[in-house]
Amino acid sequence: MKHPFYSTTGKRLLDLVLAVPALILLSPLFGLLALIVYLKLGSPVLFRQERAGLGGHTFRILKFRSMTDKRDQHHRLLPDGERLTGFGQFLRSTSLDELPELFNVIKGELSLVGPRPLLKHYLPLYSKEQARRHDVKPGITGWSQINGRNALSWEERFRMDVWYVDHLSLLLDLKILMMTLAKVARREGISAEDHATMMEFSGTQATEK
């Protein structure tokens, strides 16, 4: 059951108590990865992208860059699978590319746990039920991440996101954080079948909206 105090105050405290020390302890690793990304992929080291957050408001998520900027003859970016390098795949499979998101957590744009923030142009494509995933702050990890991650279908993913919204609690967040460590160690659910990352969301049928 959702606990109002935790969802409004306790969750933010947990984020700061865990994210600030983590960023300090991981700063040497952060610096090393930044150097390697620069040497292998060039500048910029950080990938910035507009994502939808709490209430559908957008913010710029930070990640380590994992793809090249290769384009076709019409100057359009090539598909993800053709731009994702071996080192980039390593960053994604270990979730090390997401370390910079700790800055988003400290700024209050992300939580450690919550539905993953998706592209802002998906916002008009959600059904009313799916849009409830924005009733809480998005997270670095979440219920759908520990139950399939990118290997899930969009429908399964959104059902789990909404379930999390309805059951948010301290114990659930701690469970998700612990299970995330195990999932990352096993590198499970990194990509969807036949896709380098996750297939594009094209919307829910109008009858479901």
Side-chain angles (χ1 to χ4, degrees):
M1 181 181 293
K2 193 172 180 179
H3 300 281
F5 175 79
Y6 176 69
S7 62
T8 57
T9 303
K11 192 171 177 62
R12 178 60 178 159
L13 290 175
L14 179 66
D15 286 341
L16 292 175
V17 166
L18 296 180
V20 173
L23 191 57
I24 294 172
L25 291 173
L26 294 172
S27 57
L29 176 60
F30 195 105
L32 176 62
L33 290 174
L35 176 60
I36 297 174
V37 170
Y38 177 76
L39 293 175
K40 286 186 172 291
L41 296 173
S43 181
V45 169
L46 294 180
F47 170 74
R48 296 173 172 85
Q49 188 178 56
E50 292 288 321
R51 298 287 181 95
L54 179 65
H57 299 292
T58 59
F59 69 98
R60 299 186 78 186
I61 198 169
L62 300 175
K63 302 177 93 174
F64 278 124
R65 183 179 175 188
S66 60
M67 295 185 185
T68 68
D69 288 325
K70 290 183 179 179
R71 297 173 181 267
D72 62 19
Q73 62 269 33
H74 301 293
H75 304 291
R76 294 173 300 198
L77 285 173
L78 294 175
D80 290 354
E82 296 181 44
R83 295 188 295 119
L84 186 61
T85 65
F87 176 65
Q89 181 61 41
F90 167 76
L91 287 178
R92 286 172 176 255
S93 67
T94 56
S95 294
L96 289 173
D97 64 317
E98 296 181 5
L99 279 182
E101 291 174 26
L102 289 172
F103 287 110
N104 291 118
V105 173
I106 293 172
K107 288 174 65 178
E109 297 164 329
L110 274 181
S111 178
L112 290 175
V113 181
R116 281 296 294 167
L118 301 176
L119 300 174
K120 66 176 184 178
H121 69 255
Y122 289 172
L123 284 171
L125 303 179
Y126 299 130
S127 68
K128 184 176 180 180
E129 180 70 4
Q130 291 168 347
R132 291 180 57 220
R133 68 192 307 278
H134 295 294
D135 288 350
V136 299
K137 196 176 294 184
I140 293 180
T141 186
W143 187 241
S144 64
Q145 273 59 52
I146 64 170
N147 285 287
R149 199 173 173 178
N150 288 337
L152 294 170
S153 69
W154 282 113
E155 288 71 23
E156 292 170 325
R157 188 175 194 171
F158 293 146
R159 279 197 298 271
M160 291 183 185
D161 289 343
V162 172
W163 183 91
Y164 172 79
V165 170
D166 291 336
H167 294 83
L168 191 156
S169 70
L170 173 60
L171 290 179
L172 179 59
D173 276 3
L174 293 176
K175 176 181 178 179
I176 290 172
L177 287 171
M178 289 186 290
M179 292 183 68
T180 295
L181 295 176
K183 290 285 183 179
V184 169
R186 293 195 293 267
R187 303 189 189 184
E188 294 179 351
I190 305 303
S191 59
E193 186 176 358
D194 299 325
H195 288 76
T197 52
M198 183 69 186
M199 68 182 73
E200 184 84 1
F201 177 57
S202 57
T204 303
Q205 293 183 356
T207 54
E208 297 178 10
K209 290 189 177 183

